[in-house]
Amino acid sequence: MAKWVGQPLKRVEDPRLLTGRGVFVADLPLKDPYAAAILRSPHAHARIRSIDASAALAARGVAGVITGADALAHTQPFAVGVQAPVKYYCLATDKARFVGEPVAVVIARDRYLAEDALELIQVEYEPLPAVVDPEDALKPGAPILHEAAGSNQACHREIVYGDVEGAFAAAAVVIRERFRFPKYSSTPIETYGVVAAYDAASGVLTITSNFMGPFILHALVARALGLAENRLRFVVPPEIGGSFGIKTSIFPYLAVMGLAAMRTGVTVRWIEDRREHLLASSSGVDRVAYRELAARDDGTILAMRTRWYDNVGGYVRSPEPGCTFRPVGNWVGPYRFANLAADAHVVLTNKSLTGPNRGYACGHLYFEIERMVDLLAQRLGMDPAEVRRRNFIQPGQFPYRTPSGGLYDSGDYPAAFERALEAAGYDKLLEEQKRARAAGRLYGVGLAVAVDPSVSNMGYITIALDPAVRARPEYLPKSGAIESATVKIDPLGKVTAILGTAPQGQGHQTIVAQIIADELGLAPGDITVVDEMDTFTRVWGISSGTYSSRFGSVGTSAAALAARKLKDKLVRLACALTEAPAESLVFADGRVMPRGGGSRGLTLKELAGRAHWNTQALPPGMEPALEATAVFGFPLADSPDAQDRVNSSNTYGFIAEVMAVEVDPETAEIKILRYVTVHDAGVIINPLIAEGQIAGGALHGLGGALWEELAYDSEGQFLSGSFIDYLVPSASQAPVIEVEHLATPSPFTTLGAKGLGEASSMTAPAAVANAVSDALAPLGIAITELPITPSRLWHLLDAARRRPR
Amino acid sequence: MKPPPFDYYAPASAAEALELLGRYGADARLLAGGQSLVPLLNFRLSAPAVIIDLNRATDLAYIKEETGRVRLGAMTRQRAIEFSPLVKSRLPLLAEATRWVGHLPTRTRGTVGGSLAHSDPAAEYPAVATALDAELVVRGPAGERVVPAAEFFLGLMTTALQPGEMLVEVRLPALASNSGWAFEEFSRRHGDFAIVGIAAMVTTERDRCRSARLAACGAGPVAVRLRGAEEILEQGGLGDLNINAAAARAAELVDPSADLHASVEYRRHLVHVLTRRALKRALERARGGGAAPLRS
Amino acid sequence: MAEPRKIRMTVNGQAREGWAEPRRLLADFLREDLGLTGTHIGCEHGICGACTVLLNGEAARSCLMLAVQADGAELMTIEGLARGGVLHPLQEAFWEHHGLQCGFCTPGMLMAAYDFLRVNPDPTEEEIREALSAVLCRCTGYQGIVRAVKAAADRMRSAP
């Protein structure tokens, strides 16, 4: 049946990208465009006393200047998902709350002139004390960012599942640790880009950008600009140069450039530069976590308690505080324990804003959980592999309902874990470690396992609200996760598929061609796949978009379902044409033939020709045209219940990793010697693409764990404003990543596939932290903070060596 | 990130460049390979009224051997140095250090003179020039003068170049017999500026150390000569214990500062470790183990 | 002298010309004045390497050059790598080994790899990784790229 699904097909996307013919947002030919440049706050926290743009307005080539006054007069603050009255406009209005916050926009003939004019804008700032640490921000006397909120706490939830107190009281072992997870981004090599053009005659604002969803943010931008949603058109160009979640957070710029286009009447093009991107695009949160684990002395975990301080920066930008709640359904990871308490603080500070970043909050989560499991193993003198074995959810338990409401669809965690140990030669690595230690070398082996959630249920975010708020009659519950696809067969029997997605390098055209080729008995080359999003012409919903590892699961399901709808129609058409009784014909191998064979039947091409050229021959009641749209929606994506339980994602894969490292005892440099990763992402459609996603994700996770940090000094000044200081890993840092798959098909998706786009980005920090901790265990060093820079690690080594032994 | 406006001249010779420099004085900046200046322009951290582009001054790009030394024109590309057989045999320390300067595509444009005149504290070439007592030939309105490296690098991105002057040549001593060299560097990523780099050259005479030359980059506001450590070697020889003593002394001679990537103590510690590693590798080469690995 | 001036260069074998202020970056000139949008801009300070082109046969950052500096030069951009509709072995290998995902860094990666294989036709994996560290990619973890460059090197060496 599956001739093409599962094959490592070369991508259809590649020839155009390899020859410089891809069309990214900055490449779009435009009629008479103007360039935008943004004036940004040099202060971490300052009241804006006045802005004088007169000199800039008089400068050569300038068409207009937009400031906070325009934002106040012509826009609404963006809706936020928390109760605290935090007003977030598309430009600073009263105060600047982080270095790099947009204060004014210049529109000029080209970017050179726009930057010239920026230098002429006079802003009078009154600098205010700043706070950057999320714990400091909650202390009495801390500078308050949003006076109306009265505190820097944007949201606080205390949630308890099961009998946590009882479990801790009964525990033989309790482990406590404090962790710090850093603020890092994914810095796609293509920065943000926006083209906004307003047609006053029709009242339509068209915004072309490298935005990838979720398209709920379309509604937010429409509301901020006071436009009806059917007067706001979002277009996504053929290519997006990477996102990794970061481009979700472009939406405030869509609003501000839309505003600029409406105010000036010209076509506005803004291509973010790298400095702007590092200063003010988006990142994951930096988190301080206090975690406690209760266990029996045989290694069985009974409960965990966690207290989080998640730093969302100067405002709450949707979909935050997803940083805290996105993984709610998989807060227990792959483990069976039933008792869990989370005390979650979402905190405002004078740092740049946060949002989804590959692994959205899961890197944080598994860094904590997996470090705790290793600490437990260390306390009990057990093999960390054995502790994990004793706690895994078992294959017979699926679908498995977690205490926090997640519904894990399928999996065989012990088998995948053993596969990873075997592939890495875990026992041999431990022997190697013995030899290395005897020779005075610092050699470590680290394990990390994780449940890999994909396709967010839009309802998860409402966990940020108290159940009492959600219970109010005027409250509109949120839930769901859908994706659409349209499949058309032309008169010669070739196929065009139209997707409602906005991919950023994931190869959707290739994947869908493989799927439809199998469904309709064609070759992938017979299928043209169109994946340019346009909200005026595509079928889409508020959850649409290419984020949250959605495509492998919902996108592929929609494409297959649309093809199946057409197959049904072709069968009915063939029945009519051949006067065969219904149910006597079937679609197989690209033709409709009698069930059980016996006749060659009618090919797809023959049927297509007849359907298009002779509509009178269609059976009564059959709609003309060979075109079907399917919208696949998860039926198990309910909104949270009164006990804060929610199935926050729709499919749940599994990851097991083994890493071996060596630390240079003199320079503290970490060398990754082996990195084995085993994934269960259900049915793999294209192993080439799957491996690419996993390797890329792994290096993202390692980037955050070892090199990348958006760093600030204690006054809120930004220290990572260039690629000289923000260290994107290069080919010479990247380890070889050995990838294996173990597939348990998802029962909930059409093809049994799950997402895997974030994958190892969520385990790599845990794996490397565990491996380095293991290497340094003889010195009594345990890693609790990332990134593990050589300088920081050397200080740990130095202090350990000075300690009396 | 677009440069501010400027007037632009591309003189065809050093003489023409000097004349322009005389005309525009402090309003002008010389543009060499552009791998540091153009980023500064793009960030608008530098906004000169006039750019004098030296890239068409072909008389400034050459590598010439003379008795006992090699002369490099200031506009000699790092890439030309990297692939020069002459540099490889006569200035192997410079050749080795070049591999640490940026990446091949930046070395295509980057020049030796640009790197020296920019005097970034973490750059490799100033450390090599300092270790080898390079002579920097400076030309200005009053003619030409030769500045020893020890007097050229004055402070953070500050050199002895006076207004109206430009660096036209660097002269480096050719490799002496019984000598070994090594450039050791620790950086976060390949091609980055050094956290700490050490340039080392030792010349042996039977079992003695006839001379030792050591300099560090990344460990202070300018490349720093580690004379006190050299003396330990010249007096006490190149035994392991003495190499350790010299490395320890080197760490005391530097005055590093902290930044995002490394603390003062860590940089100081790296000076110790890398000086030892550099000396051991240099010694191995001096003793004829010329096949020592480029990077340890 | 800050006025626009005429700039002539040979790009991908064709004589091209345009007008540019001295401050105009070569990358912008190629993309916006000559319409060669295959060269991408990723950082404008010489680190990411997306804008790498061949200048007189050698890889260089087009964001760190002024267009006026390339007056009279011979350039090759990604648009000139395939000849007569036939992909270069590097392009073939990137396709075969999944050496690209979003494709944004790819032009710079190919230009840098092209230059590197000319100076080092038989590189080790370590040398490939060192050379490719001149260009940043965020999608692939470099795994497919390193394989592709190795495969292209092997193929180019064995080709007559």
Side-chain angles (χ1 to χ4, degrees):
Chain A
M1 168 64 196
K3 182 174 174 192
W4 299 104
V5 166
Q7 295 302 309
L9 242 58
K10 292 197 294 184
R11 304 194 316 166
V12 241
E13 288 87 348
D14 289 0
R16 64 178 191 261
L17 295 169
L18 285 164
T19 52
R21 290 183 293 109
V23 179
F24 296 84
V25 63
D27 306 337
L28 291 167
L30 302 172
K31 190 164 163 271
D32 200 23
Y34 280 66
I38 299 175
L39 185 71
R40 295 172 180 277
S41 170
H43 299 286
H45 195 190
R47 195 165 303 285
I48 298 170
R49 289 274 177 222
S50 66
I51 300 179
D52 178 0
S54 53
L57 275 167
R60 180 160 74 104
V62 172
V65 177
I66 307 295
T67 68
D70 298 285
L72 267 179
H74 305 290
T75 74
Q76 296 295 316
F78 296 110
V80 294
V82 297
Q83 294 290 95
V86 174
K87 281 191 180 168
Y88 175 41
Y89 284 93
C90 62
L91 283 174
T93 55
D94 54 343
K95 295 204 294 187
R97 293 177 174 86
F98 62 95
V99 171
E101 180 172 359
V103 169
V105 181
V106 168
I107 310 301
R109 288 288 357 176
D110 69 31
R111 176 73 184 221
Y112 291 77
L113 296 174
E115 290 190 24
D116 293 348
L118 282 189
E119 297 181 359
L120 303 174
I121 298 176
Q122 302 290 323
V123 183
E124 193 191 334
Y125 292 103
E126 177 195 338
L128 300 169
V131 62
V132 293
D133 181 89
E135 288 183 288
D136 289 346
L138 296 184
K139 287 178 184 158
I144 298 294
L145 274 75
H146 296 267
E147 284 80 0
S151 108
N152 293 321
Q153 185 153 275
C155 164
H156 178 214
R157 290 297 328 273
E158 279 187 84
I159 307 174
V160 179
Y161 304 104
D163 178 15
V164 175
E165 292 303 320
F168 270 85
V173 186
V174 172
I175 313 269
R176 295 186 174 85
E177 192 52 83
R178 177 182 191 268
F179 298 101
R180 281 196 81 108
F181 197 88
K183 179 180 179 77
Y184 66 90
S185 179
S186 288
T187 65
I189 304 299
E190 182 203 39
T191 56
Y192 290 172
V194 182
V195 177
Y198 183 64
D199 177 38
S202 63
V204 171
L205 174 65
T206 301
I207 298 180
T208 306
S209 74
N210 46 20
F211 174 58
M212 25 58 79
F215 281 80
I216 187 175
L217 299 174
H218 174 274
L220 257 65
V221 173
R223 192 176 343 162
L225 290 173
L227 289 169
E229 290 184 31
N230 66 355
R231 293 288 185 274
L232 176 63
R233 181 177 196 172
F234 277 10
V235 179
V236 178
E239 326 289 351
I240 296 182
S243 167
F244 323 105
I246 293 299
K247 283 173 179 163
T248 280
S249 302
I250 194 177
F251 76 88
Y253 293 111
L254 305 186
V256 76
M257 295 306 155
L259 174 66
M262 292 167 80
R263 303 297 299 161
T264 60
V266 301
T267 295
V268 173
R269 186 176 87 139
W270 174 68
I271 305 299
E272 183 193 49
D273 66 35
R274 184 55 61 187
R275 178 176 157 273
E276 297 181 279
H277 188 84
L278 290 166
L279 266 174
S281 62
S282 188
S283 72
V285 295
D286 51 308
R287 166 182 287 180
V288 176
Y290 295 85
R291 197 172 266 267
E292 296 174 290
L293 176 152
R296 285 206 283 263
D297 59 10
D298 65 354
T300 305
I301 301 168
L302 300 172
M304 287 206 203
R305 249 196 306 245
T306 182
R307 190 162 83 250
W308 289 322
Y309 298 92
D310 283 349
N311 187 350
V312 293
Y315 301 85
V316 181
R317 178 177 58 195
S318 185
E320 298 291 40
C323 56
T324 310
F325 303 107
R326 184 251 183 164
V328 52
N330 52 289
W331 270 351
V332 293
Y335 302 124
R336 274 192 321 267
F337 66 95
N339 309 300
L340 175 73
D343 177 9
H345 304 259
V346 177
V347 186
L348 297 153
T349 74
N350 298 106
K351 285 191 178 182
S352 64
L353 311 189
T354 61
N357 181 32
R358 203 169 196 168
Y360 203 15
C362 289
H364 304 61
L365 178 75
Y366 295 122
F367 172 60
E368 294 162 35
I369 294 181
E370 291 300 280
R371 283 298 296 127
M372 291 300 281
V373 171
D374 268 25
L375 290 171
L376 174 63
Q378 198 175 28
R379 173 80 66 88
L380 295 174
M382 288 176 67
D383 177 356
E386 186 54 29
V387 174
R388 287 176 173 81
R389 284 186 193 109
R390 292 195 183 181
N391 288 285
F392 279 138
I393 294 160
Q394 295 301 303
Q397 293 181 278
F398 291 92
Y400 178 83
R401 183 68 76 176
T402 69
S404 50
L407 185 64
Y408 292 175
D409 45 344
S410 64
D412 187 342
Y413 301 168
F417 181 64
E418 298 303 331
R419 170 82 66 89
L421 296 179
E422 193 184 322
Y426 182 64
D427 295 337
K428 287 207 180 83
L429 293 178
L430 294 182
E431 283 166 27
E432 174 62 26
Q433 179 178 49
K434 271 190 199 136
R435 280 193 297 275
R437 280 187 176 161
R441 287 160 55 205
L442 302 174
Y443 183 104
V445 182
L447 305 174
V449 293
V451 167
D452 178 358
S454 43
V455 196
S456 294
N457 166 8
M458 296 309 276
Y460 84 80
I461 193 67
T462 62
I463 291 283
L465 304 173
D466 194 90
V469 175
R470 298 197 304 262
R472 288 179 193 157
E474 71 275 17
Y475 177 77
L476 176 68
K478 294 177 180 59
S479 70
I482 69 156
E483 200 55 88
S484 75
T486 298
V487 176
K488 307 195 287 186
I489 302 175
D490 65 31
L492 290 172
K494 305 292 189 196
V495 171
T496 304
I498 303 166
L499 311 179
T501 61
Q504 315 110 42
Q506 295 94 335
H508 291 185
Q509 293 180 336
T510 305
I511 296 283
V512 168
Q514 287 179 262
I515 292 168
I516 292 177
D518 272 351
E519 293 291 337
L520 297 180
L522 297 167
D526 293 330
I527 296 143
T528 294
V529 182
V530 180
D531 58 4
E532 295 154 54
M533 183 69 193
D534 178 339
T535 55
F536 271 18
T537 60
R538 301 292 184 267
V539 178
W540 59 283
I542 60 161
S543 61
S544 293
T546 297
Y547 64 99
S548 191
S549 304
R550 303 178 91 246
F551 191 74
S553 150
V554 275
T556 57
S557 292
L561 286 181
R564 287 177 192 182
K565 276 189 180 178
L566 273 183
K567 280 198 289 196
D568 288 347
K569 188 166 184 174
L570 291 168
V571 170
R572 283 185 284 124
L573 174 63
C575 287
L577 292 173
T578 59
E579 295 176 355
E583 308 301 320
S584 69
L585 302 181
V586 288
F587 192 100
D589 296 333
R591 63 182 68 224
V592 179
M593 58 174 84
R595 196 178 290 278
S599 140
R600 64 173 282 279
L602 285 163
T603 65
L604 181 68
K605 185 178 169 185
E606 288 162 345
L607 286 166
R610 285 162 175 75
H612 282 285
W613 287 102
N614 187 16
T615 55
Q616 296 308 309
L618 298 180
M622 179 176 279
E623 198 174 280
L626 286 180
E627 179 170 335
T629 294
V631 181
F632 177 82
F634 270 102
L636 302 158
D638 292 342
S639 54
D641 69 13
Q643 283 74 47
D644 287 311
R645 288 176 299 213
V646 63
N647 185 25
S648 51
S649 294
N650 285 285
T651 57
Y652 297 85
F654 179 73
I655 309 166
E657 305 201 319
V658 183
M659 189 184 290
V661 302
E662 184 158 357
V663 177
D664 182 323
E666 291 192 321
T667 64
E669 188 177 27
I670 297 163
K671 190 160 189 190
I672 296 173
L673 305 172
R674 287 289 299 282
Y675 186 4
V676 170
T677 181
V678 170
H679 292 254
D680 181 354
V683 171
I684 298 294
I685 295 163
N686 183 322
L688 211 54
I689 290 174
E691 185 187 317
Q693 289 294 317
I694 290 164
L699 193 57
H700 266 133
L702 290 175
L706 300 178
W707 297 290
E708 302 177 44
E709 186 174 15
L710 294 168
Y712 290 78
D713 71 12
S714 57
E715 261 70 63
Q717 276 303 318
F718 184 54
L719 304 175
S720 314
S722 78
F723 270 168
I724 296 163
D725 283 319
Y726 187 85
L727 303 178
V728 174
S730 75
S732 47
Q733 274 85 51
V736 172
I737 297 159
E738 302 165 55
V739 179
E740 291 199 19
H741 298 284
L742 181 144
T744 59
S746 173
F748 301 149
T749 62
T750 309
L751 300 169
K754 308 185 185 191
L756 89 171
E758 298 164 88
S760 292
S761 69
M762 52 186 87
T763 34
V768 73
N770 280 345
V772 172
S773 298
D774 186 50
L776 304 182
L779 291 161
I781 294 171
I783 298 299
T784 57
E785 298 191 11
L786 304 177
I788 320 170
T789 68
S791 185
R792 288 178 193 162
L793 190 58
W794 176 78
H795 279 279
L796 292 176
L797 285 167
D798 190 49
R801 287 171 181 146
R802 288 167 196 276
R803 268 199 297 270
R805 305 291 298 263
Chain B
M1 285 177 60
K2 307 297 182 191
F6 47 74
D7 284 348
Y8 174 85
Y9 298 91
S13 68
E16 278 180 40
L18 267 178
E19 192 190 314
L20 287 161
L21 202 52
R23 197 185 312 161
Y24 294 104
D27 290 341
R29 286 220 43 187
L30 295 170
L31 173 59
Q35 306 302 289
S36 298
L37 179 56
V38 178
L40 290 172
L41 294 171
N42 290 357
F43 277 107
R44 295 197 178 210
L45 294 171
S46 175
V50 176
I51 289 278
I52 301 170
D53 180 358
L54 299 176
N55 284 279
R56 293 183 195 271
T58 47
D59 57 345
L60 285 173
Y62 53 84
I63 303 173
K64 290 178 187 161
E65 183 172 23
E66 287 180 353
T67 317
R69 68 180 184 185
V70 178
R71 293 163 49 205
L72 301 160
M75 285 299 290
T76 305
R77 308 282 179 196
Q78 293 152 5
R79 183 175 177 129
I81 292 171
E82 179 175 5
F83 294 108
S84 159
L86 177 63
V87 171
K88 191 174 177 186
S89 66
R90 309 308 292 145
L91 302 175
L93 177 61
L94 184 71
E96 186 167 306
T98 300
R99 297 283 304 278
W100 292 94
V101 181
H103 304 277
L104 185 60
T106 65
R107 297 194 289 267
T108 296
R109 295 290 293 171
T111 65
V112 63
S115 174
L116 293 171
H118 188 58
S119 186
D120 189 296
E124 292 82 4
Y125 278 0
V128 173
T130 299
L132 296 184
D133 288 317
E135 291 178 342
L136 295 119
V137 182
V138 169
R139 208 177 291 166
E144 207 164 272
R145 62 189 179 109
V146 176
V147 184
E151 294 165 25
F152 185 79
F153 304 106
L154 299 182
L156 190 68
M157 291 173 169
T158 314
T159 66
L161 285 167
Q162 295 298 308
E165 284 188 330
M166 59 189 275
L167 177 65
V168 293
E169 184 178 285
V170 54
R171 298 169 181 164
L172 290 161
L175 185 70
S177 53
N178 300 320
S179 296
W181 68 92
F183 194 92
E184 282 285 335
E185 178 167 317
F186 188 84
S187 60
R188 297 296 314 276
R189 293 175 303 186
H190 179 78
D192 284 0
F193 276 117
I195 299 288
V196 166
I198 299 289
M201 173 75 73
V202 295
T203 305
T204 57
E205 197 170 83
R206 289 180 298 278
D207 286 346
R208 287 184 45 246
C209 171
R210 200 174 74 194
S211 80
R213 296 289 175 261
L214 284 167
C217 59
V222 286
V224 52
R225 180 71 174 265
L226 305 168
R227 186 61 200 140
E230 295 170 359
E231 281 167 1
I232 290 176
L233 301 165
E234 288 167 0
Q235 287 157 14
L238 293 159
D240 277 0
L241 278 176
N242 216 39
I243 283 180
N244 278 339
R249 181 79 187 110
E252 294 166 1
L253 294 170
V254 295
D255 180 22
S257 53
D259 66 10
L260 185 58
H261 304 297
S263 68
V264 170
E265 299 78 12
Y266 180 59
R267 281 204 158 87
R268 197 182 291 286
H269 168 77
L270 284 178
V271 168
H272 184 151
V273 171
L274 299 182
T275 300
R276 175 166 44 73
R277 291 182 182 180
L279 285 171
K280 290 204 164 169
R281 216 150 50 80
L283 179 62
E284 208 174 306
R285 278 173 163 150
R287 287 177 175 158
L294 197 58
R295 307 249 167 90
S296 64
Chain C
M1 293 299 286
E3 294 308 305
R5 55 187 70 194
K6 191 162 202 176
I7 294 165
R8 296 180 182 86
M9 55 181 77
T10 305
V11 187
N12 303 327
Q14 291 188 325
R16 303 293 300 267
E17 60 180 51
W19 289 82
E21 270 187 88
R23 65 165 160 169
R24 194 160 184 78
L25 299 175
L26 176 60
D28 286 333
F29 184 78
L30 290 170
R31 289 177 47 79
E32 300 193 6
D33 299 292
L34 302 186
L36 295 166
T37 54
T39 297
H40 296 153
I41 295 177
C43 78
E44 291 177 302
H45 56 284
I47 306 294
C48 82
C51 69
T52 304
V53 299
L54 294 182
L55 172 76
N56 299 321
E58 298 176 342
R61 310 296 206 212
S62 64
C63 75
L64 298 189
M65 276 186 73
L66 307 171
V68 66
Q69 292 186 292
D71 187 25
E74 191 168 316
L75 277 88
M76 187 169 102
T77 66
I78 184 65
E79 287 92 342
L81 187 55
R83 294 284 160 83
V86 179
L87 294 181
H88 185 273
L90 268 167
Q91 291 168 311
E92 285 284 1
F94 269 60
W95 194 10
E96 185 78 34
H97 295 277
H98 195 32
L100 64 154
Q101 289 178 28
C102 80
F104 197 82
C105 74
T106 309
M109 199 64 89
L110 286 168
M111 291 291 110
Y114 179 90
D115 184 27
F116 167 65
L117 290 186
R118 286 200 332 162
V119 301
N120 187 352
D122 190 10
T124 63
E125 177 170 334
E126 196 185 343
E127 287 167 341
I128 292 173
R129 287 182 178 272
E130 183 184 308
L132 295 180
S133 67
V135 184
L136 299 177
C137 166
R138 303 252 47 186
C139 291
T140 61
Y142 305 100
Q143 196 132 313
I145 297 176
V146 171
R147 271 185 212 146
V149 172
K150 184 87 186 113
D154 292 346
R155 184 167 151 214
M156 287 162 72
R157 277 198 322 281
S158 65

